Amino acid sequence: MKTILRTIPIFLVLLMLTYFVPQIISDSPSEIVTQKKLTPKLRKEKSTASTPTIKQEVFSLTGIGQYMGRKSDAIKKIYGEPLRIETTSIGYERWIYGDNEKDYFQVGVSEEDTISSIFVLGTTLNLSPFKVGMDITEVYQLATLYPTFSIDYDGEKYTIELSENDLNYHPLVIFENDIYSILMIDRETNKINAIRYVDKQTLLKSDIYEVLPQNGISENEDLKIEIETINKEKTKEIEITLNALRKRYDLPELSYSVELSLMAENIFLSQNESSSKQLSEEELTQTESSEKVDSPNENKNFEEANLPVLTNQDIQDYLKMNKMSLADPRVVYSNQFTDATWLITYWFSLENQRSILTDPSMKRFGFAFRGEEVMFILDKEEDYEE
């Protein structure tokens, strides 16, 4: 009896901790999720060691995928003129069709007027043998998902390796004529949220999967230029994609906020200024300590220096320092950027990012880009005080 009496207080304490600790955590003034680009470990073995030995299943191109590799007129004959055309600085145009979660898709048209990629979000579009909304168990019945792919491009042999997470939430499937399809799986529902068709050049340069050898495909510097010159057209695509996915799950739409976008941009600018000041001080110290040494090439310009990746603490410190009065804001940050609308569907395959983007209490969103970095801020209120 005494033993039971002794254990009752301990049980009550544990019960209180179980209830109150989650409450304390959830009442945090802001939730910040950062997604960092992983640097693959160097491998001693040759890339050819990972080359698949099993002959992989190749699907026939049907539905909207059949227009891959064809001239742009082919898709115009069926779907008409696009609603919008975005001119990018990376050698292709982005044609926009549809404006909701049922009929929205994008077509990448190269400088040679060839369709090099198709991104599909609409549930009513023909993506045979797959479809948006298909459960992952149905995908397993249709196709064997492979972890490695061998690709011959520009006289070189490359190997693409998929992680376990890739296989579960964005597996790769081969179609005829060297066309590939990336299936974006929603982490919560395990259903296809979007499908992207790409040719092998686009796939190798997309930075979605690990590619070996790593130095084979040169980094596309023009991509950074496009990100830095993002305009209202791209803002529109982000808004459509995000709200289409929220509508798919019966969530209220978010409104675009200029104020939140400026806030996200100011967080980047603040780090720029801080890093620039620190770099200048370090250069001054180096100059004073090495007056007798003539080494003009040793010091880097701030523009050439690599800024450190933002951390949760960096973002939180800025919000506190500038006394931003937001109603329980949410922040999603990534230093790995490919395409704005593509990134949003990718975030839906990640648990923490998805929970923020699908928060039913959020009312508005804003975002900013810096090089390959992107920051989303969501909030409950229509206005905030400085």
Side-chain angles (χ1 to χ4, degrees):
M1 185 67 179
K2 290 182 179 180
T3 305
I4 295 174
L5 291 174
R6 288 195 200 101
T7 58
I8 288 175
I10 298 173
F11 174 75
L12 290 174
V13 170
L14 290 173
L15 188 63
M16 291 174 67
L17 286 173
T18 303
Y19 176 77
F20 285 109
V21 168
Q23 295 298 317
I24 294 170
I25 294 173
S26 64
D27 288 339
S28 174
S30 64
E31 184 178 354
I32 300 170
V33 175
T34 56
Q35 172 203 339
K36 306 294 174 27
K37 179 178 180 179
L38 299 177
T39 303
K41 295 179 181 179
L42 293 176
R43 305 187 179 210
K44 293 182 180 180
E45 67 267 21
K46 295 181 181 180
S47 61
T48 52
S50 300
T51 303
T53 56
I54 301 174
K55 187 175 181 181
Q56 295 166 324
E57 183 179 7
V58 177
F59 289 92
S60 300
L61 282 170
T62 57
I64 201 168
Q66 66 183 295
Y67 301 104
M68 285 292 298
R70 297 168 65 178
K71 295 296 182 181
S72 62
D73 282 344
I75 207 158
K76 278 185 181 180
K77 289 178 181 178
I78 304 300
Y79 296 97
E81 293 290 335
L83 295 180
R84 293 178 299 281
I85 295 180
E86 298 176 5
T87 303
T88 72
S89 61
I90 55 176
Y92 72 92
E93 292 181 336
R94 186 181 293 116
W95 292 11
I96 312 300
Y97 288 89
D99 59 2
N100 59 66
E101 66 99 13
K102 292 183 178 180
D103 63 0
Y104 184 86
F105 70 100
Q106 300 177 358
V107 179
V109 180
S110 71
E111 290 179 321
E112 293 77 25
D113 194 38
T114 301
I115 297 173
S116 59
S117 68
I118 301 176
F119 172 79
V120 182
L121 190 70
T123 55
T124 61
L125 297 168
N126 182 3
L127 305 170
S128 182
F130 308 102
K131 62 181 178 180
V132 173
M134 176 180 283
D135 193 276
I136 188 64
T137 55
E138 296 179 72
V139 174
Y140 294 149
Q141 293 171 5
L142 285 172
T144 301
L145 303 181
Y146 299 94
T148 56
F149 293 81
S150 180
I151 298 178
D152 293 319
Y153 173 70
D154 201 22
E156 298 289 337
K157 184 179 288 292
Y158 299 95
T159 298
I160 287 182
E161 296 193 348
L162 278 68
S163 66
E164 183 178 351
N165 190 66
D166 291 330
L167 283 170
N168 289 331
Y169 298 106
H170 18 92
L172 190 63
V173 179
I174 304 179
F175 283 80
E176 60 186 338
N177 302 329
D178 290 325
I179 301 301
Y180 294 80
S181 180
I182 306 168
L183 312 179
M184 300 304 296
I185 310 297
D186 185 295
R187 180 172 286 268
E188 184 70 21
T189 65
N190 284 322
K191 293 182 178 180
I192 296 176
N193 251 344
I195 293 179
R196 188 182 190 184
Y197 297 92
V198 292
D199 57 22
K200 57 184 179 182
Q201 178 182 359
T202 304
L203 177 63
L204 290 171
K205 294 185 177 182
S206 64
D207 202 23
I208 295 170
Y209 307 108
E210 182 178 352
V211 178
L212 299 173
Q214 296 168 19
N215 60 351
I217 298 292
S218 60
E219 185 178 349
N220 194 335
E221 295 295 333
D222 289 338
L223 177 60
K224 296 179 180 179
I225 298 172
E226 187 213 353
I227 297 169
E228 291 167 0
T229 57
I230 189 165
N231 53 30
K232 292 182 180 179
E233 290 179 343
K234 296 179 180 63
T235 301
K236 182 69 175 175
E237 307 318 323
I238 292 171
E239 186 174 3
I240 289 175
T241 306
L242 180 56
N243 282 327
L245 289 172
R246 283 177 65 91
K247 185 177 181 181
R248 185 171 292 171
Y249 301 113
D250 298 320
L251 296 169
E253 292 188 356
L254 301 175
S255 61
Y256 172 70
S257 168
V258 175
E259 290 86 357
L260 290 181
S261 292
L262 288 173
M263 186 187 299
E265 187 175 327
N266 285 335
I267 293 174
F268 283 139
L269 291 174
S270 176
Q271 190 195 32
N272 286 356
E273 293 170 1
S274 176
S275 297
S276 180
K277 182 179 178 181
Q278 182 180 353
L279 186 63
S280 297
E281 290 174 353
E282 290 175 357
E283 288 180 341
L284 181 61
T285 302
Q286 290 176 3
T287 302
E288 290 174 349
S289 62
S290 58
E291 291 178 347
K292 296 181 181 180
V293 180
D294 184 16
S295 54
N297 295 323
E298 286 185 0
N299 295 328
K300 288 185 177 180
N301 247 324
F302 171 65
E303 289 77 15
E304 298 173 343
N306 291 321
L307 288 166
V309 174
L310 276 171
T311 64
N312 291 28
Q313 194 61 49
D314 293 332
I315 300 169
Q316 190 72 270
D317 288 346
Y318 179 87
L319 296 176
K320 288 181 180 178
M321 227 171 22
N322 291 271
K323 298 180 180 179
M324 297 296 184
S325 179
L326 300 177
D328 196 18
R330 304 285 193 266
V331 179
V332 183
Y333 163 81
S334 172
N335 71 331
Q336 183 177 10
F337 179 85
T338 51
D339 171 83
T341 52
W342 167 256
L343 185 61
I344 290 172
T345 55
Y346 178 75
W347 279 344
F348 268 74
S349 71
L350 304 176
E351 184 176 359
N352 292 332
Q353 285 85 338
R354 186 192 189 281
S355 67
I356 290 178
L357 296 180
T358 58
D359 188 332
S361 68
M362 295 294 106
K363 302 297 183 184
R364 60 180 187 150
F365 76 97
F367 60 91
F369 297 92
R370 181 181 66 180
E372 292 186 345
E373 299 169 279
V374 59
M375 184 183 303
F376 268 64
I377 301 180
L378 297 89
D379 189 34
K380 292 181 179 179
E381 297 295 313
E382 292 298 328
D383 300 300
Y384 70 92
E385 300 175 359
E386 294 189 2

